[in-house]
Amino acid sequence: MVRKTSGKWRMCVNFTDMNKACPKDPYPLPSIDSLVDSALHCSLLRFLDAFSGYNQIRMHPKDKSKTTFMAEVAIYCYKVMLLGLMSVGATYQRLIDRIMFSMLGRNVQAYVDDMVVTSSKADVLVFDLKELFATIARHNLKLNPNKCLFGV
């Protein structure tokens, strides 16, 4: 267990050997520069963060056993993706790109589990947020309210 800067604890398992045996997912992550540039024309921005983003994606049943680890009293495995596994960023980005395809580049920019809702005018602000919230609710994604900023 490792203490996070927030004071909460994070479980850490070393998957170095397994990651060496896994092929890297070549799915591209967006360019940070292009994401920043696309937000320049917007007068209103909302920054949203997925709550434990990777942990919201279930592991394929055949892959659960590959995440097995031992504790003092038992053996466990993960049922969800976790930080530290090869290509989790690419897998999560692929998910976001699929479920938000109609919004990306229009009123949402996304980099893995971080999203920016971009509105060029105040009169579309509520519509843009409703569209995003409806989409993430439809796919059972959760946001971390402690890391979300509105009206920036």
Side-chain angles (χ1 to χ4, degrees), residues 78-142:
Y78 281 90
K79 296 179 180 181
V80 295
M81 281 189 359
L82 64 149
L83 189 62
L85 290 177
M86 175 69 81
S87 300
V88 292
T91 301
Y92 196 88
Q93 187 68 50
R94 182 182 289 110
L95 169 73
I96 293 300
D97 289 352
R98 283 183 182 166
I99 67 173
M100 295 188 185
F101 70 93
S102 66
M103 292 177 281
L104 290 175
R106 180 173 53 86
N107 61 352
V108 173
Q109 307 299 327
Y111 186 85
V112 190
D113 64 343
D114 295 310
M115 294 163 267
V116 180
V117 180
T118 55
S119 300
S120 56
K121 298 178 184 172
D123 59 343
V124 295
L125 163 76
V126 174
F127 175 79
D128 290 343
L129 285 172
K130 281 183 179 180
E131 183 181 14
L132 175 70
F133 291 157
T135 300
I136 61 176
R138 196 169 43 251
H139 295 280
N140 296 317
L141 293 177
K142 307 291 185 248

Side-chain angles (χ1 to χ4, degrees), residues 7 47 71 90:
F47 296 92

Side-chain angles (χ1 to χ4, degrees), residues 19-39:
N19 285 338
K20 287 178 185 175
C22 292
K24 184 173 167 79
D25 184 346
Y27 194 83
L29 296 180
S31 161
I32 294 291
D33 291 338
S34 65
L35 294 178
V36 170
D37 289 346
S38 67

Side-chain angles (χ1 to χ4, degrees), residues 30-102:
S31 161
I32 294 291
D33 291 338
S34 65
L35 294 178
V36 170
D37 289 346
S38 67
L40 289 175
H41 70 284
C42 299
S43 57
L44 296 167
L45 302 173
R46 272 82 52 217
F47 296 92
L48 307 172
D49 184 79
F51 186 78
S52 299
Y54 304 138
N55 299 145
Q56 295 188 52
I57 300 177
R58 292 206 161 284
M59 294 283 291
H60 190 280
K62 292 179 182 177
D63 293 330
K64 288 180 191 177
S65 64
K66 297 172 186 166
T67 66
T68 301
F69 63 95
M70 292 177 20
E72 288 184 29
V73 295
I75 297 174
Y76 301 93
C77 70
Y78 281 90
K79 296 179 180 181
V80 295
M81 281 189 359
L82 64 149
L83 189 62
L85 290 177
M86 175 69 81
S87 300
V88 292
T91 301
Y92 196 88
Q93 187 68 50
R94 182 182 289 110
L95 169 73
I96 293 300
D97 289 352
R98 283 183 182 166
I99 67 173
M100 295 188 185
F101 70 93
S102 66

